[in-house]
Amino acid sequence: MAAAESYPEDLRYHPEHDWARVDGDEAVLGITWFAADALGELVHFEPPTVGATIAKDQPYGEVESVKAVSDVIAPLSGEVLEVNATVVDAPETVNDDPYGNGWLVRIRLSDPSELEALLDLAAYQQVLADQ
Amino acid sequence: MTHPYLALTDSDREEMLTAVGVGSVEELFRDIPAGVRLGRELDLEPALSEHELSAHLGALAARNADTTRELSFLGAGIYDHYVPAVVDAVLQRGEFLTAYTPYQPEMSQGVLQAIFEYQTAICELTGMDVSNASGYDGTTVTADACYIAKHATGRTKVVVTAATNPQVRQVVKTYAPGFGLEVVEVAHRGGVTDVDELRAAADGAAAVILQQPNVFGCLEPAPELVAAANDAEALPIVHCDPLSLGVLEAPGRYGAAIALGEGQAAGNFPSYGGPHYGFLAARQDFIRRMPGRIVGEMVDAAGERGYVLTLQTREQHIRREKATSNITTNQTLLALGGLVYLTWLGPQGIRELGETCLSLAAYAKQQLRARAGLELVFPEQATFKEFAVRVGRNAREVVAAARERGVHPGYALGRDYEGMDDVLLVAVTEKRTPQEIDRLAEVLAEVTA
Amino acid sequence: MKLIYEKSRPGRRASAIPRPEGLPEPEIPESLRRAEPPRLPEVPEFELIRHFTELSTRNFGVDTGFYPLGSCTMKYNPRINERLVTLPGFASLHPLQEEDGAQGALELMWRLQEILAEVTGLDAVSLQPAAGSQGELTGLMLVRAYFDDRGEGAQRRKVVIPDTAHGTNPASVTMAGYELTPVKTDPRGNIDVEDLRGKVDEHTAALMLTNPSTLGLFDENIEEIERIFHGAGALMYYDGANLNAVCGISRPGDMGFDIVHINLHKTFSQPHGGGGPGGGPIAVRKMLEPFLPVPAVVRRGEDEFGLDYDRPQTIGKVRGFTGPFGVFVRSYAYMRMYGPRLREMSETAVLNANYLRARLQDAYELPYDRLCMHEFVLSARGLKREHGVTALDVAKRLMDFGYHPPTIYFPLVVPEALMIEPTETETKETLDAFCEAMLAIAREAAGSPETLKEAPHHRPVKRLDEVRAAKTPVVKYEFERHPEAGGEPSAVAAEAPKGV
C-alpha cells in the first residue's frame, strides 16, 4: 500500500525531491513522497556500490517505475556505507514507507557544511507549492 | 480522378473544409512560409496503374540472376536455405503484417505472444537466458553488443577476430568511434583463431567477438576462445549461424556472455540482403542493458495469462539520451518468420538439417578435389556448410566463367582478404543435391583448367 | 491461449529434411558437438498454421480497422507490393551476386534514390540505414565526418534537440558520441527561438528537428532557425518521421536541411509488420555525399548500374550489404503508383487530421490551437481534473469501439497527451464514426467513469499487470515450471478455443 502524503519535520530536503536524515557525521538518504508518487510504483532501484563517493547535486542511483526512470540526486556529498537491500529486493518499499524502510543509502558525510544549503520543511513545501 | 489509395469525394472534401473553417485545401498549409514551399509539381514520372506497375517491376526482376535461375553456391553470411510455405502464409496475415509495435497489449496479444515464443526459441538455440525481440541484422546486433559491453565493463577496447565476417567487422568499426571504443583485430592462423593470441589481445578489453563457424566456414575452438575472454573479464560475444545450432554446441553452454547473429538463414529469403532479422541473446546479468524491445509474461486483471512489452525503461522513448540503444522499429515480421520456420523444423529437423549440410559440404569437398583437382585452403580444419578452396587463378574470373555456364560457384574471398585472390568460398545448403554438386565440380574443372 | 511449446508432443514434426544417400557421414569434433537438443516445438504443419492463425486473430492491424497511432503513419499497405516482393528475381537474389547478375535490383535502387532526392529536395541518397533511428545515427556520423574533415570535429560537440523530439533523437546523439543541448517549445508550438539563440554557437554541430513537429505543427520560424544554424556554421538534420504531411508541398531541402532520413515504413507504405521492418534512407546535400556509407548505388551508363566502394572519405557501413531491399521494392512500387500525385496523398492526410481536430477539440483540450498538419495532439487533462479519467483510460475504451488507440503520453510537453494521426487512407465515414466514439467516451467520462477505468471490456485480455512483469521479468517460456507441457494433455489443461 502506497503511503499517504507526508513530509517529516526532522528531515532536510533537496529541491530535486530528495531527503537526508543526518546523525553525526553520517546521513541516511531517500526520495520524498512527492517523487515516489510522481513515478508510480517502483519496480527497480539501481544503487551505487558500497564505498563509492557521491557528490551533492549529482545523481548517485536510479529509480524506475514501469513507464518512467529518474536519477536520484544526492543532497549531500560523502562515501556510501550501506545500500538498503530491502529496497533493492522490493523497490515498492519506497512507495509504502518513503522515510522509514524505504531509505536508499547511508553515507559518511565528506562536507557537513553542505547541510546549510539544504531546505527545511517549510522551504521544501514552498518548492512543492510552486510545482 | 480519385487515386485508388485515396477516398475523399468532392462533396466529402467540401464538408470537411467547412467543418475545419477554411475555404480550400491550400489554406490548410498557410503556416508554411512561402519561402520554403516547392511551388511546382514534383518532377516524377506519371502515376502508374497497378498492372503497369506489375509489368515494370516484373521486367526489373527479370534482369536479376537469382538462385532459381542460377545454380548458386553463394553464402558468406546470407544463405539459400529452403523457406517453407507456412512462413509465407503466416507473414501474409494482415493482422501481423499491418500492425505496429505492440504498445497497447490488449490490441496486440497475437504478436506479443509470438515474440515471447520467438525469444524462447532463440534462448533454446543459443543456451542463453534472455533474447530481445530482434535487431536489424547480424551486423548491427554485434554493434549493439559492443554498446552493452562498454557499459557493463567501463572498458574502451573491443577485440574482434579477423575471421569474423567482414560485413560485421565493418559495421562494428563504423559504430565504434561514437561509442568511444577502439577496435582491435586478431589475425587467424590457418583458418582459425589462436587461443593464446586471443588471450593476449583480450587483456583489458570490454568484449571479444568471434564467429562460429567463422567466415571461412571453419569451426573455431570456440569454448577455449570464450574461456580466454572470460579469464580477461572481457565479455565473450559469439556470432553464430542459427542453423548450425542443431549440431554445434550452444554458446551459452560454453560460457558466452552474448550470442547473436544473422537470422536470415532461418526463415527469410535472401532478398538481396534484407530485410532480415538479427538475433541477440544474453546471460541474465545483462537483462537491463539489452537493446530494443523485450516481451514479458504476466497476468491480466482477471488473472489470465498475457504478454506485454517489459523493461521499457531501458528504451529510447523513456530513457532518451541514456537509453541502451536508439532502436525502435525493429524486424518483428522477419523474426516471426524465424519463429515459424524454427517451429516447422522442430528439434529433430534442425539436427537433420545440420547433418545434411555437413554431409553435402563434405561431399562437395571430395568432388572438388577429385573432379576439379582443387585444394582446400584450410585442409586441417573442420567445417560446417561452407569451405574455402584455391582455384588456381583469380577467383572473380572463375566466378564470371562459371556463371556463363549457369553456375555461381561461390564468393571470391579476395574481395576481403589479402593473399586470397585465388580463393573461392563455397556454401552448400540442404537445397543442393549431389547432382548439383557434381555439376559444380564439372564446371570448376572446366574453368580452372 | 496456449503457447506453441505447450502444444508440442515428442515425435511430431512439420518438416522433412532431404538426406541424399551415399554421402559422407556428418562429422563434428566431439568438443564442439551439441549435447542437449534445443527444445523447439514439435507440432504437425496443420497445428502450426492453426496456432499462428489464432494468434493473428488476437492482433489488430490496419487491415483490421482504423489505427490512428500518432507519429507512426499507419496507412493502408497495398497488396500489390506484397506480390511484387515475392518475385523470385527479388526474393531469391543473393546480395553478393555480381553486378551484372543484379542489374534489375540495382536499377530499382537507383531509381528509388532519384525519387527520394526529388521528394526531399536534396542531392544524394544512401538507402542503407535499416530504420529511422539508424538513419539518425548515420546522419550524425556524417556530421562528425564532415566536421572532422574541416578540422572542427573536436570543437563542435553539441547537438540541439527540441523538447518535443522523439526519444530516438537524444538516444542517437549519445550513441554518436555527441552531447545533447535541449531547447524549449514556445506557446505556439514552435521552437523557442530566443532560447535557441543563446544555445547555438561555434560548439554546435547540428540541429535535429522534426518538421512538422511531433505536435503536428509546422514550425513557422523555420527560415529564422535556418539562419541561426547555418550562420553558426552548424548543420541541420531533418527527422523525416512526419514527411507524410508535406510531400510535394515543402521539401526539407527547401527548408534548409542538410541531412534527412525518410521512414519508408511510414510515408511510403512498407507494412509495419508488428514492429518492423522499416527503412531509413538518408538524403544529403552535395558537400556531404563523399561521407555516405559504402557501397553507393550508381548509374554507370544508360542501362548499367553498379555498386561503388571507392569512397575514401566514407563513414563505412552501417548494416549489411546495401540495405533492406524488400522494403525498397515496396516503397518504390508505392511511389510509382503516385508519381507527382504524392501531393494529393499529403493534402488528404492533412485534411483528414484537421477534420478530426475540428470535431474533437471542444470535447478534449487542444493545447496548441492552430491548423495542424497530418496529426494533432489533444490533452485529456480536463477529463482527468474533472472526472479522474486519464488518457490511458480513453485509449483503452476506444478499443471497445473497435479502434486502435492513438499514441498516448507523447510528446512529453503535453500532459495526458492523445496524439492522433488518421493518415490519408480512410473514408469520411470512418473518420466520422471515430469522432462519434471519441465524443461518446468524453460523455462517458462524465457519466460513468468506471466504464472507462475498467476498459477494455471486449479484448482477449483485460488490462495487464505491467508492474509485476517489470519487477520479476519472465521473458521466455520456463519449461521447468511447466512439467505437464510436452506430455499427454490432461482434461484440466485442455482449453476451449476463445473468440475475440
Side-chain angles (χ1 to χ4, degrees):
Chain A
M1 267 300 281
E5 183 165 11
S6 72
Y7 305 98
E9 179 83 54
D10 63 321
L11 302 182
R12 288 292 167 271
Y13 295 91
H14 185 277
E16 292 287 339
H17 311 291
D18 306 275
W19 57 260
R21 179 179 286 122
V22 180
D23 180 11
D25 66 346
E26 291 185 11
V28 171
L29 311 181
I31 64 173
T32 66
W33 182 92
F34 178 87
D37 181 64
L39 282 161
E41 184 171 342
L42 297 191
V43 297
H44 185 66
F45 169 45
E46 188 71 41
T49 50
V50 171
T53 302
I54 68 175
K56 183 177 183 312
D57 301 328
Q58 298 299 313
Y60 68 85
E62 277 182 356
V63 284
E64 289 181 22
S65 62
V66 172
K67 304 283 178 177
V69 58
S70 177
D71 284 332
V72 188
I73 305 298
L76 297 164
S77 305
E79 180 196 345
V80 178
L81 300 174
E82 185 184 357
V83 166
N84 186 354
T86 304
V87 170
V88 172
D89 291 342
E92 69 275 15
T93 310
V94 175
N95 304 84
D96 299 344
D97 188 7
Y99 312 106
N101 290 333
W103 62 275
L104 299 180
V105 295
R106 189 164 58 84
I107 63 170
R108 175 174 294 119
L109 301 182
S110 56
D111 181 4
S113 74
E114 287 173 350
L115 262 173
E116 292 161 24
L118 291 184
L119 309 176
D120 64 10
L121 177 59
Y124 180 60
Q125 280 176 328
Q126 190 55 51
V127 170
L128 292 178
D130 294 343
Q131 290 283 319
Chain B
M1 187 180 69
T2 309
H3 191 278
Y5 302 158
L6 300 174
L8 301 184
T9 63
D10 290 343
S11 67
D12 288 341
R13 206 171 287 114
E14 288 313 310
E15 281 177 50
M16 291 166 73
L17 288 169
T18 304
V20 174
V22 296
S24 67
V25 169
E26 181 63 27
E27 206 182 327
L28 294 171
F29 294 93
R30 68 187 177 203
D31 286 351
I32 303 184
V36 303
R37 304 251 193 140
L38 175 58
R40 61 167 172 81
E41 194 172 75
L42 282 170
D43 183 15
L44 300 175
E45 291 179 69
L48 298 176
S49 66
E50 183 174 317
H51 81 259
E52 290 167 326
L53 178 74
S54 217
H56 172 49
L57 270 83
L60 288 176
R63 294 185 65 199
N64 297 325
D66 62 80
T67 62
T68 68
R69 290 175 54 190
E70 211 171 64
L71 175 55
S72 179
F73 293 86
L74 265 175
I78 298 294
Y79 298 95
D80 185 31
H81 289 283
Y82 182 68
V83 180
V86 288
V87 171
D88 301 5
V90 173
L91 268 46
Q92 283 301 310
R93 295 286 303 187
E95 301 91 334
F96 289 136
L97 181 72
T98 69
Y100 191 42
T101 304
Y103 289 123
Q104 296 288 348
E106 300 87 349
M107 299 299 271
S108 321
Q109 282 302 297
V111 77
L112 284 163
Q113 181 172 330
I115 294 170
F116 185 81
E117 292 176 352
Y118 162 84
Q119 290 170 184
T120 304
I122 294 300
C123 289
E124 279 299 308
L125 275 186
T126 56
M128 288 294 175
D129 302 316
V130 53
S131 160
N132 73 2
S134 69
Y136 304 133
D137 71 6
T139 69
T140 65
V141 290
T142 315
D144 287 333
C146 293
Y147 206 50
I148 296 175
K150 182 208 162 173
H151 290 114
T153 65
R155 297 176 180 178
T156 58
K157 174 175 86 170
V158 292
V159 174
V160 57
T161 68
T164 295
N165 189 295
Q167 301 260 342
V168 174
R169 286 185 284 124
Q170 285 164 24
V171 170
V172 167
K173 283 178 194 165
T174 305
Y175 273 70
F179 295 173
L181 288 174
E182 170 201 7
V183 182
V184 176
E185 291 195 353
V186 177
H188 71 92
R189 302 293 167 201
V192 294
T193 307
D194 179 79
V195 176
D196 290 325
E197 277 184 69
L198 184 103
R199 185 184 304 281
D203 186 38
V208 169
I209 301 163
L210 60 109
Q211 188 181 12
Q212 176 77 327
N214 69 25
V215 68
F216 307 119
C218 299
L219 299 184
E220 294 274 10
E224 287 87 351
L225 296 172
V226 162
N230 275 325
D231 289 347
E233 293 178 359
L235 305 192
I237 298 170
V238 179
H239 192 290
C240 49
D241 176 352
L243 293 192
S244 71
L245 296 174
V247 292
L248 290 179
E249 187 56 290
R253 301 296 286 269
Y254 52 83
I258 299 172
L260 47 74
E262 171 58 62
Q264 178 272 329
N268 298 165
F269 285 95
S271 190
Y272 203 53
H276 302 137
Y277 62 103
F279 61 93
L280 188 157
R283 285 205 311 258
Q284 186 70 24
D285 318 281
F286 305 109
I287 189 166
R288 287 181 177 275
R289 299 191 190 276
M290 295 284 284
R293 297 177 191 134
I294 297 175
V295 171
E297 179 186 295
M298 34 86 69
V299 294
D300 74 2
E304 289 285 313
R305 183 168 64 177
Y307 302 89
V308 292
L309 294 176
T310 195
L311 300 167
Q312 291 189 63
T313 48
R314 299 166 295 110
E315 294 185 67
Q316 48 76 29
H317 60 288
I318 295 177
R319 200 177 287 259
R320 298 178 76 85
E321 70 272 17
K322 291 182 181 172
T324 56
S325 167
N326 66 345
I327 190 170
T328 163
T329 291
N330 59 15
Q331 306 292 122
T332 296
L333 194 72
L334 292 313
L336 174 60
L339 170 66
V340 173
Y341 178 75
L342 292 169
T343 301
W344 179 80
L345 271 185
Q348 299 169 54
I350 196 169
R351 194 196 68 239
E352 291 169 9
L353 183 110
E355 289 172 352
T356 294
C357 289
L358 279 165
S359 287
L360 283 168
Y363 178 73
K365 286 182 190 175
Q366 285 177 357
Q367 295 305 304
L368 294 192
R369 278 203 202 107
R371 295 203 191 189
L374 302 184
E375 289 304 320
L376 295 176
V377 182
F378 307 114
E380 313 294 313
Q381 306 300 343
T383 59
F384 175 51
K385 66 186 178 191
E386 206 164 15
F387 58 89
V389 289
R390 291 206 184 274
V391 289
R393 56 184 276 216
N394 186 295
R396 300 195 76 162
E397 293 169 17
V398 168
V399 169
R403 287 190 57 230
E404 284 173 15
R405 291 160 173 80
V407 175
H408 198 308
Y411 181 65
L413 269 173
R415 287 163 74 167
D416 301 300
Y417 289 90
E418 276 183 33
M420 288 198 167
D421 285 344
D422 63 340
V423 174
L424 204 55
L425 184 66
V426 179
V428 187
T429 70
E430 83 289 356
K431 278 175 75 175
R432 300 287 79 89
T433 64
Q435 296 71 35
E436 288 173 341
I437 290 168
D438 294 347
R439 173 71 187 147
L440 171 70
E442 200 177 286
V443 165
L444 282 179
E446 285 171 32
V447 302
T448 58
Chain C
M1 185 183 158
K2 285 187 177 182
L3 289 160
I4 190 73
Y5 302 96
E6 292 164 335
K7 297 175 178 172
S8 175
R9 295 294 177 272
R12 291 182 181 155
R13 59 189 299 165
S15 62
I17 305 300
R19 190 63 178 272
E21 289 179 8
L23 295 181
E25 283 299 305
E27 282 178 28
I28 290 264
E30 181 63 37
S31 62
L32 301 176
R33 194 175 301 153
R34 182 150 192 144
E36 300 277 338
R39 287 168 291 189
L40 297 174
E42 296 180 79
V43 294
E45 179 170 328
F46 53 88
E47 281 295 317
L48 183 160
I49 287 294
R50 279 187 186 151
H51 177 75
F52 289 103
T53 301
E54 187 183 355
L55 280 183
S56 76
T57 65
R58 294 161 71 91
N59 224 50
F60 187 98
V62 176
D63 283 1
T64 322
F66 186 48
Y67 208 130
L69 187 67
S71 192
C72 299
T73 314
M74 300 302 290
K75 62 172 66 178
Y76 173 65
N77 307 122
R79 280 287 161 178
I80 181 62
N81 300 348
E82 299 307 310
R83 184 195 283 174
L84 294 172
V85 81
T86 62
L87 293 171
F90 296 142
S92 295
L93 182 61
H94 194 287
L96 295 170
Q97 176 59 288
E98 303 294 306
E99 287 176 12
D100 68 349
Q103 284 297 300
L106 293 167
E107 179 176 345
L108 186 149
M109 288 195 286
W110 182 82
R111 284 169 168 268
L112 179 60
Q113 290 176 175
E114 293 293 297
I115 295 172
L116 293 175
E118 169 65 6
V119 169
T120 57
L122 289 164
D123 303 312
V125 173
S126 169
L127 299 175
Q128 201 174 104
S133 300
Q134 211 193 18
E136 292 173 18
L137 184 55
T138 307
L140 291 169
M141 291 172 180
L142 295 177
V143 170
R144 189 177 62 216
Y146 172 78
F147 284 121
D148 281 350
D149 185 53
R150 295 166 62 90
E152 298 174 41
Q155 161 199 333
R156 294 187 183 270
R157 302 301 313 145
K158 293 176 189 292
V159 175
V160 178
I161 295 183
D163 53 10
T164 53
H166 293 109
T168 53
N169 292 178
S172 297
V173 165
T174 306
M175 287 177 79
Y178 278 111
E179 291 161 31
L180 183 68
T181 304
V183 60
K184 295 199 187 83
T185 298
D186 77 9
R188 275 189 64 76
N190 299 316
I191 280 193
D192 185 332
V193 174
E194 290 318 305
D195 187 31
L196 186 66
R197 255 185 248 287
K199 289 177 172 171
V200 182
D201 56 24
E202 71 277 11
H203 302 294
T204 307
L207 165 74
M208 291 183 92
L209 184 66
T210 312
N211 192 27
S213 68
T214 59
L215 293 165
L217 302 173
F218 195 93
D219 199 306
E220 298 158 306
N221 305 320
I222 188 65
E223 290 165 304
E224 177 63 14
I225 292 167
E226 189 270 337
R227 283 191 288 273
I228 291 171
F229 277 88
H230 285 163
L235 295 174
M236 298 203 4
Y237 182 92
Y238 182 93
D239 178 330
N242 293 343
L243 194 64
N244 206 47
V246 292
C247 286
I249 294 157
S250 177
R251 306 182 303 175
D254 304 332
M255 300 176 209
F257 289 92
D258 305 296
I259 310 171
V260 173
H261 85 250
I262 303 113
N263 299 80
L264 295 179
H265 48 295
K266 296 182 180 178
T267 311
F268 301 117
S269 191
Q270 160 66 33
H272 284 74
I282 49 171
V284 300
R285 276 191 208 289
K286 198 78 191 160
M287 81 266 194
L288 292 161
E289 186 177 10
F291 309 107
L292 285 174
V294 283
V297 178
V298 295
R299 186 181 203 168
R300 299 200 199 281
E302 180 57 31
D303 211 18
E304 193 194 341
F305 304 86
L307 294 173
D308 183 9
Y309 288 86
D310 186 19
R311 302 276 169 122
Q313 291 185 289
T314 178
I315 57 165
K317 287 185 70 60
V318 296
R319 55 150 284 157
F321 309 104
T322 46
F325 178 75
V327 176
F328 306 153
V329 173
R330 293 181 180 91
S331 289
Y332 175 72
Y334 184 76
M335 295 170 91
R336 291 303 308 271
M337 284 291 283
Y338 270 108
R341 297 183 71 185
L342 283 171
R343 182 187 171 107
E344 289 170 52
M345 171 190 88
S346 289
E347 286 175 346
T348 309
V350 171
L351 177 56
N352 285 356
N354 274 291
Y355 180 66
L356 291 187
R357 177 188 58 76
R359 288 203 59 189
L360 297 174
Q361 74 178 80
D362 292 334
Y364 296 81
E365 285 181 36
L366 183 69
Y368 300 94
D369 189 4
R370 284 168 57 185
L371 286 175
C372 66
M373 300 299 285
H374 67 305
E375 68 187 2
F376 61 102
V377 181
L378 295 174
S379 172
R381 182 170 42 184
L383 296 185
K384 187 178 181 190
R385 195 171 46 231
E386 287 159 34
H387 312 298
V389 164
T390 62
L392 182 74
D393 299 328
V394 173
K396 300 299 184 195
R397 184 65 178 140
L398 269 171
M399 298 175 185
D400 290 331
F401 288 83
Y403 301 113
H404 194 287
T407 295
I408 51 175
Y409 300 107
F410 186 81
L412 306 173
V413 295
V414 176
E416 299 296 323
L418 291 154
M419 184 195 216
I420 301 174
E421 180 181 12
T423 83
E424 72 281 7
T425 59
E426 297 299 335
T427 62
K428 179 166 177 294
E429 297 88 284
T430 298
L431 301 177
D432 282 329
F434 175 74
C435 286
E436 293 307 325
M438 285 290 285
L439 297 173
I441 289 169
R443 288 191 299 270
E444 277 182 346
S448 58
E450 65 286 354
T451 311
L452 274 71
K453 290 273 160 210
E454 289 164 18
H457 302 270
H458 310 305
R459 296 298 306 167
V461 289
K462 305 269 185 208
R463 288 197 203 184
L464 299 156
D465 184 358
E466 300 190 34
V467 169
R468 206 195 309 181
K471 233 180 250 178
T472 47
V474 176
V475 296
K476 64 183 169 79
Y477 184 64
E478 293 174 326
F479 293 90
E480 293 75 11
R481 287 180 48 197
H482 298 274
E484 76 282 6
E488 285 301 307
S490 70
V492 185
E495 198 178 318
K498 278 205 191 99
V500 178

